[in-house]
Amino acid sequence: MKKRAASFLLAILAVVSLILPALAETSGETFEEVPAESPEIEEVSSAIVLDGEPVQAVEYEMRGGVCYVTVSSFVSMLDMEAMVEEEDGMVSVNASTVIGVVPAENAASAEAEAAAESESPEDSAGTAAPEAPAEDAGAGEVADYAAANVETADLCLTAAAGASYFVANGRYLYVDGGLVWLDGRVAAPVRQLARVFNLTVDYDAATGQVLLGHREGEQPYLASGEDAYNSETMLWLSRIIHAESGNQPLEGKIAVGNVVMNRVRNPKFPNTLYDVLFQKNQFSPASSGSIYREPNAESVVAAKLVLDGAQVVPEALFFNGAGARSYASRNRAYVTTIGDHDFYK
């Protein structure tokens, strides 16, 4: 019995010894022929890309889905020679870019032609019009442009941490959530700073990169408020904001301005600001005369913010005193309450 059991065990061991090498050999062939694939993950070198090139020096941070960048690093990325001063939570920027130059010889020729067309080639002091300076081969560009008529574009920007807007060339740019601190510096949303430099902005969800680009033929800086804000629009918008919400927080003032401008754009209302304000039975300050009062400073700021795109209630077309019964409260969809006003769409 013991001999028979031993023989059976030896037979099993012999079979196993033949199978294991075969399994091992097959297994080896399998891994060699179908290697495990490990997809390569492209490393993002920078979250900010300018004109197709990653930028390393910009200080940024994502907050609530918004890319904040420090004002100083953003400006330096675009203009290393810009004057940037930052102290006590306030940053100021001054920059200038040459956008046009009339060579000295052309400028002199123009003066000579103007003098020739006048009754006398001499000025009031009896001196002849200046001639174009002789070219000096060794002077180079300095001689050519010494008397050049140089045209520049200028930038003046101020921003303060905690503020709800910043100012660039007299333009008031709203920051929902306010400007923030980032590593001890003032930071703003990249989209708003891009506006200052007339840059395009896009976002690549696959890489998590913000894509910035210069527009061909565009001016280097945002147009001034003097050029951008229509004086009549500013007058009436700031007046109605003051009359309706002069004692309200800035957000409430902006909301009133939004309602007015939303109506101007809505086909169910008149298509001019003046006609919207003086439409019968709509804005009580128009009938009471309080609309003619001088607006306070913050109402003027609110008007500029609205005209530059600030949106607090983008769909609202009506408002009334908080809790008051009115046509809007009975018939329109409630949006929100800001300060002493309820807003409806």
Side-chain angles (χ1 to χ4, degrees), residues 126-340:
T127 57
E131 297 180 359
E135 288 190 13
D136 184 350
E141 293 184 5
V142 175
D144 291 340
Y145 293 94
N149 183 17
V150 179
E151 184 182 5
T152 64
D154 302 308
L155 171 65
C156 179
L157 181 153
T158 56
S164 56
Y165 63 88
F166 64 94
V167 184
N169 284 354
R171 301 283 290 275
Y172 284 67
L173 306 182
Y174 185 66
V175 179
D176 188 13
L179 291 102
V180 302
W181 283 104
L182 180 55
D183 295 331
R185 297 181 183 276
V186 182
V190 68
R191 287 189 180 275
Q192 289 292 58
L193 288 176
R195 284 189 62 192
V196 175
F197 292 87
N198 288 323
L199 301 176
T200 61
V201 187
D202 203 355
Y203 179 71
D204 188 337
T207 62
Q209 291 177 313
V210 176
L211 310 178
L212 304 174
H214 285 92
R215 292 185 174 95
E216 186 176 354
E218 186 62 81
Q219 292 294 311
Y221 311 120
L222 191 69
S224 70
E226 196 172 279
D227 295 331
Y229 300 138
N230 178 279
S231 58
E232 185 175 357
T233 301
M234 271 295 307
L235 172 68
W236 290 111
L237 186 58
S238 58
R239 280 181 171 181
I240 192 62
I241 288 174
H242 176 68
E244 292 282 15
S245 57
N247 64 345
Q248 296 299 294
L250 180 61
E251 185 183 20
K253 291 181 173 69
I254 294 172
V256 167
N258 286 160
V259 168
V260 174
M261 298 310 296
N262 290 345
R263 287 192 177 196
V264 174
R265 291 186 286 266
N266 191 299
K268 295 181 179 179
F269 294 90
N271 60 4
T272 71
L273 178 59
Y274 183 89
D275 289 341
V276 162
L277 297 182
F278 287 89
Q279 187 178 17
K280 187 176 180 180
N281 298 327
Q282 295 301 307
F283 292 94
S284 58
S287 56
S288 69
S290 63
I291 195 172
Y292 297 104
R293 294 174 183 167
E294 189 72 19
N296 58 22
E298 194 171 67
S299 294
V300 174
V301 168
K304 291 179 177 179
L305 289 167
V306 169
L307 294 178
D308 247 317
Q311 288 279 10
V312 174
V313 284
E315 297 179 328
L317 293 168
F318 300 86
F319 66 90
N320 54 233
R325 296 287 294 169
S326 66
Y327 161 81
S329 67
R330 293 190 302 270
N331 299 281
R332 312 296 296 197
Y334 170 79
V335 176
T336 189
T337 297
I338 302 175
D340 294 337

Side-chain angles (χ1 to χ4, degrees), residues 57-61 67-77 84 86 91 180-190 193:
V58 177
E59 301 167 327
Y60 69 91
E61 184 175 298
C67 180
Y68 281 84
V69 297
T70 61
V71 174
S72 56
S73 70
F74 191 88
V75 171
S76 297
M77 170 186 72
V84 182
E86 188 158 2
V91 61
V180 302
W181 283 104
L182 180 55
D183 295 331
R185 297 181 183 276
V186 182
V190 68
L193 288 176

Side-chain angles (χ1 to χ4, degrees), residues 75-84 93-98 221:
V75 171
S76 297
M77 170 186 72
L78 294 160
D79 185 357
M80 292 293 292
E81 297 182 358
M83 183 180 295
V84 182
V93 176
N94 286 281
S96 184
T97 298
V98 175
Y221 311 120

